[in-house]
Amino acid sequence: ETSAKVIDGKAVAKQIKDEIAGEIVRMKDGIGIVPGLAVILVGSRKDSQTYVRNKKKACEAVGIKSYEANLPEDSTEEEVLKHIACFNDDPSVHGILVQLPLPRHMNEEKILNAIGLEKDVDGFHPLNIGRLSMQGRDPLFVPCTPKGCMELLHRYGVEIKGKRAVVIGRSNIVGMPAALLLQKANATISMVHSYTKNPVEITRQADIIISAAGVANLVRGSWIKPGAVVIDVGINPVDDAQSPRGYRLVGDVCYEEACKVASAITPVPGGVGPMTIAMLLSNTLSSAKRIHDFKVHVHSFS
Amino acid sequence: ETSAKVIDGKAVAKQIKDEIAGEIVRMKDGIGIVPGLAVILVGSRKDSQTYVRNKKKACEAVGIKSYEANLPEDSTEEEVLKHIACFNDDPSVHGILVQLPLPRHMNEEKILNAIGLEKDVDGFHPLNIGRLSMQGRDPLFVPCTPKGCMELLHRYGVEIKGKRAVVIGRSNIVGMPAALLLQKANATISMVHSYTKNPVEITRQADIIISAAGVANLVRGSWIKPGAVVIDVGINPVDDAQSPRGYRLVGDVCYEEACKVASAITPVPGGVGPMTIAMLLSNTLSSAKRIHDFKVHVHSFS
Ligand SMILES: NC(=O)C1=CN([C@@H]2O[C@H](COP(=O)(O)OP(=O)(O)OC[C@H]3O[C@@H](n4cnc5c(N)ncnc54)[C@H](OP(=O)(O)O)[C@@H]3O)[C@@H](O)[C@H]2O)C=CC1
Ligand SMILES: NC(=O)C1=CN([C@@H]2O[C@H](COP(=O)(O)OP(=O)(O)OC[C@H]3O[C@@H](n4cnc5c(N)ncnc54)[C@H](OP(=O)(O)O)[C@@H]3O)[C@@H](O)[C@H]2O)C=CC1
């Protein structure tokens, strides 16, 4: 019985963070600039607080200065926009991100559009997504999670050009940009979503599968062509009496089945998750370099 | 032997143009405004001149005022930008389009980006394409040719939701936005391009095929699932000694073979071509309505 190679996102992310830390030292020594990332959190969702805390810790670990604005759940849109405007004008801030989801009473589109394009390290601005969609145009920033998926494929030497790629899920932040990136790399893409009638049949044709549906155990062994590469973006809680918290986190892919069919697969946790944060740091560093026209070292992951 | 229903783009386009002409009369009577379209042509390519002339004629036929700027091949980018700026500021102009391709020495991206978003009736601005890509966002204008394809599917009652759709070609102006529109309508899309290794196998799975590769007779009968709907965007010259010009225009699809397999198909000419111009007029009218906040009549094709 074969067993898939494990794509170790945690190890790759560590390597990338080490590279970033080195570049930040060189940047500070060279031009006295330290990259800065501002995170805006509205409300007090536990999961969002955890994400923000992790981003902050990751920044500190590589030498990025982090700025935080914590606003109460019942803030007005204007208050959020005021904070964004401040960070847009602040020359020590090179990246701004608004932790999603926002409270229901806020217009996400309006708020995200207020982030200055050159500081939009999440890459969610429609102008940025447009450039990502278009041939011959390049986005200023590639959204972090899909960028992390591509980086894993690159670092594990997975050929993309001419391959069939299936992306499960089409959200603005993961599935859709992941498909656009695979297409830019000349894969032949198909997109599976909740209206897809025959997801198994389509997914089984793929040489590369990226799953970002948010459904535990959606992708069974039977969905996977023998030898395919599987990138599992999903992070889904499932009941687990053994765990002190009463649940544990799993991906979209039924790992035990998949690792017998796939040639390579990302685990959950330890796959795409750590890469997302590493790419956020990478985007923040790139932004600081671009703003200060710092070119000492050609950054290898774009 | 079965024979596909012919999707008569010429007839549908005529019907749409009649509807547009009616609305323009109402608009003029109601608020004294006549929609205006400005076309910028650089150089003297015969095909481009023909396209521009046809657009102008179509405008006149429905009551849209057309403005033209013809610049010599060796104009500078600045001259083109100056004309765009003028039209951007001109309140009698509601749509601006730059006939492509531009001369080689010009930066297409820079020039297209100069068109005011609210007058970008071609819908090629990256911000517009970004909105087209994103769930929950809507573009100001949908690019004319893909919009025409969708309109044909709608008017012929072709169900899109949950269907497999294959788009052949991924250009910024046809293939890519066509795929995005099908996806917005909840089809399961695959995109075939020049790196695709097994185009026949993939295309044969489609319930809906849109071909925009620019290759005569690319799509043979064997590429088509029995009963599929085929939209042929291609306009390709092939040698024809019988024709006075020495050539005739054909689509990407081998029509004689396809019409025996498909359930419905667009002819070339007389299919998508006339729809493209009708959609340009529709976009221009929508723009004038939006700018002047004119809402007398809900426009049925969006
Ligand atoms: N590793 C990381 O760093 C990150 C992980 N995630 C995780 O990735 C997953 C996806 O996140 P996100 O994109 O934000 O989620 P969304 O809920 O925004 O999108 C889910 C997408 O999956 C599709 N989908 C849902 N159910 C099915 C199904 N049964 N079959 C096929 N398609 C389906 C939906 O289709 P439709 O559009 O038709 O509704 C939708 O497009 C989540 O588990 C999330 O926690 C997210 C971000 C970062
Ligand atoms: N009816 C109308 O109103 C209009 C008609 N057209 C016609 O539509 C056609 C396409 O136009 P346009 O999009 O501008 O063309 P482009 O040349 O810009 O794009 C062609 C696309 O087709 C792909 N392609 C080329 N050859 C093959 C092949 N053998 N197999 C699979 N894919 C292939 C290319 O792939 P890759 O990206 O890998 O190079 C590319 O994405 C042309 O015939 C054009 O005249 C265009 C506009 C309007």
Side-chain angles (χ1 to χ4, degrees):
Chain A
E1 196 161 89
T2 56
S3 187
K5 184 193 292 179
V6 178
I7 298 179
D8 188 345
K10 202 169 162 189
V12 173
K14 176 162 186 334
Q15 192 187 329
I16 291 174
K17 286 191 274 188
D18 288 346
E19 292 165 22
I20 291 173
E23 291 205 51
I24 288 175
V25 168
R26 274 192 296 281
M27 192 172 186
K28 194 173 171 186
D29 290 351
I31 57 172
I33 298 287
V34 174
L37 175 69
V39 182
I40 297 171
L41 173 63
V42 187
S44 47
R45 282 176 65 120
K46 283 267 167 315
D47 55 345
S48 292
Q49 286 174 336
T50 306
Y51 291 136
V52 169
R53 194 165 49 240
N54 289 342
K55 287 169 187 172
K56 221 174 145 173
K57 268 199 273 180
C59 282
E60 279 162 22
V62 297
I64 290 175
K65 193 157 164 40
S66 68
Y67 302 83
E68 214 182 314
N70 288 308
L71 308 180
E73 178 79 25
D74 61 356
S75 310
T76 62
E77 251 175 48
E78 285 61 45
E79 287 170 296
V80 180
L81 293 172
K82 217 172 60 192
H83 278 86
I84 293 177
C86 255
F87 288 134
N88 278 339
D89 290 341
D90 184 341
S92 56
V93 169
H94 305 96
I96 302 171
L97 71 83
V98 175
Q99 184 66 42
L100 300 179
L102 285 163
R104 274 175 200 288
H105 66 281
M106 293 191 179
N107 181 338
E108 179 185 301
E109 178 172 359
K110 192 169 159 197
I111 287 174
L112 292 183
N113 284 358
I115 298 174
L117 251 190
E118 73 294 346
K119 297 189 178 183
D120 172 36
V121 285
D122 261 340
F124 295 158
H125 195 288
L127 184 51
N128 211 49
I129 297 291
R131 289 187 183 160
L132 192 64
S133 310
M134 295 171 86
Q135 297 215 45
R137 310 288 170 93
D138 287 306
L140 284 179
F141 300 102
V142 173
C144 302
T145 302
K147 184 176 176 176
C149 296
M150 296 301 285
E151 193 60 32
L152 287 176
L153 293 172
H154 291 315
R155 298 228 173 186
Y156 276 80
V158 177
E159 216 200 329
I160 299 174
K161 186 168 74 183
K163 299 294 179 192
R164 284 289 298 273
V166 168
V167 177
I168 306 173
R170 53 172 172 172
S171 73
N172 290 342
I173 63 174
V174 192
M176 181 267 296
L180 295 175
L181 285 169
L182 287 164
Q183 147 103 323
K184 264 213 154 115
N186 292 318
T188 298
I189 58 147
S190 302
M191 292 178 77
V192 166
H193 48 73
S194 68
Y195 292 91
T196 300
K197 286 202 179 116
N198 38 6
V200 186
E201 186 196 316
I202 298 171
T203 309
R204 253 190 89 84
Q205 295 173 6
D207 304 300
I208 298 166
I209 299 169
I210 295 185
S211 185
V215 180
N217 288 315
L218 176 68
V219 180
R220 307 293 302 262
S222 59
W223 290 43
I224 301 168
K225 177 164 88 174
V229 174
V230 179
I231 306 289
D232 188 355
V233 182
I235 302 181
N236 312 300
V238 292
D239 290 341
D240 181 359
Q242 249 91 75
S243 155
R245 292 174 301 187
Y247 71 94
R248 71 197 150 89
L249 297 174
V250 302
D252 289 353
V253 178
C254 180
Y255 190 85
E256 300 72 45
E257 292 178 10
C259 68
K260 294 180 188 136
V261 193
S263 65
I265 184 169
T266 57
V268 176
V272 177
M275 289 300 289
T276 296
I277 288 202
M279 294 300 112
L280 175 64
L281 305 175
S282 154
N283 280 353
T284 305
L285 171 59
S286 304
S287 177
K289 286 173 153 186
R290 179 161 41 218
I291 289 171
H292 299 286
D293 202 22
F294 182 70
K295 282 187 196 123
V296 165
H297 186 259
V298 177
H299 207 54
S300 60
F301 29 99
S302 55
Chain B
E1 195 160 272
T2 56
S3 187
K5 184 193 292 178
V6 178
I7 298 178
D8 188 345
K10 205 168 160 189
V12 174
K14 173 157 189 336
Q15 192 187 330
I16 291 174
K17 285 191 276 188
D18 288 346
E19 292 164 22
I20 291 173
E23 291 205 50
I24 288 175
V25 168
R26 273 192 296 280
M27 192 171 184
K28 195 171 169 186
D29 289 352
I31 58 173
I33 297 288
V34 174
L37 175 69
V39 181
I40 298 172
L41 172 63
V42 187
S44 48
R45 282 177 64 123
K46 283 266 167 316
D47 56 346
S48 292
Q49 287 174 336
T50 305
Y51 290 136
V52 169
R53 196 166 48 240
N54 289 342
K55 286 168 187 173
K56 222 175 142 173
K57 267 199 274 181
C59 282
E60 278 162 22
V62 298
I64 291 175
K65 194 158 164 40
S66 69
Y67 302 81
E68 214 180 317
N70 288 306
L71 307 180
E73 178 80 24
D74 61 356
S75 309
T76 62
E77 251 174 50
E78 285 61 45
E79 287 170 297
V80 180
L81 293 172
K82 220 170 59 191
H83 278 87
I84 293 177
C86 256
F87 288 135
N88 277 340
D89 290 341
D90 184 342
S92 56
V93 169
H94 305 95
I96 302 171
L97 70 85
V98 175
Q99 183 66 41
L100 300 180
L102 285 163
R104 274 175 200 288
H105 66 280
M106 292 190 180
N107 182 338
E108 178 185 304
E109 179 172 359
K110 193 170 158 196
I111 287 175
L112 292 183
N113 284 357
I115 299 173
L117 252 189
E118 73 293 347
K119 298 189 179 182
D120 173 35
V121 283
D122 260 339
F124 294 158
H125 194 288
L127 184 51
N128 210 49
I129 297 291
R131 289 187 183 159
L132 192 63
S133 310
M134 294 171 85
Q135 297 215 47
R137 309 288 171 95
D138 287 306
L140 284 180
F141 300 101
V142 173
C144 302
T145 302
K147 183 175 177 177
C149 297
M150 296 300 285
E151 194 59 35
L152 287 176
L153 293 172
H154 290 315
R155 297 228 173 186
Y156 276 81
V158 177
E159 214 199 330
I160 298 174
K161 187 168 74 183
K163 299 294 178 191
R164 285 290 299 273
V166 168
V167 177
I168 306 174
R170 54 173 171 172
S171 72
N172 290 342
I173 63 174
V174 190
M176 181 267 296
L180 295 175
L181 284 169
L182 288 164
Q183 147 102 323
K184 264 212 156 121
N186 291 318
T188 298
I189 58 146
S190 302
M191 291 178 78
V192 166
H193 48 73
S194 68
Y195 292 90
T196 300
K197 286 200 179 118
N198 39 6
V200 186
E201 187 196 315
I202 299 171
T203 309
R204 252 190 88 84
Q205 295 173 6
D207 303 301
I208 298 166
I209 299 170
I210 295 185
S211 186
V215 180
N217 288 315
L218 176 68
V219 180
R220 308 292 303 261
S222 59
W223 290 43
I224 301 168
K225 177 163 90 176
V229 174
V230 179
I231 306 289
D232 188 355
V233 181
I235 302 181
N236 311 299
V238 292
D239 291 341
D240 182 359
Q242 248 92 75
S243 155
R245 293 173 302 185
Y247 70 94
R248 72 197 150 90
L249 297 174
V250 302
D252 288 354
V253 179
C254 180
Y255 191 85
E256 300 72 46
E257 292 179 10
C259 68
K260 292 178 191 141
V261 193
S263 65
I265 184 170
T266 58
V268 176
V272 177
M275 289 300 288
T276 296
I277 288 202
M279 293 301 113
L280 175 64
L281 305 175
S282 153
N283 280 353
T284 305
L285 171 60
S286 304
S287 177
K289 285 173 155 186
R290 179 161 41 219
I291 290 171
H292 299 286
D293 202 21
F294 183 71
K295 281 186 198 123
V296 165
H297 186 257
V298 177
H299 206 52
S300 60
F301 29 101
S302 55

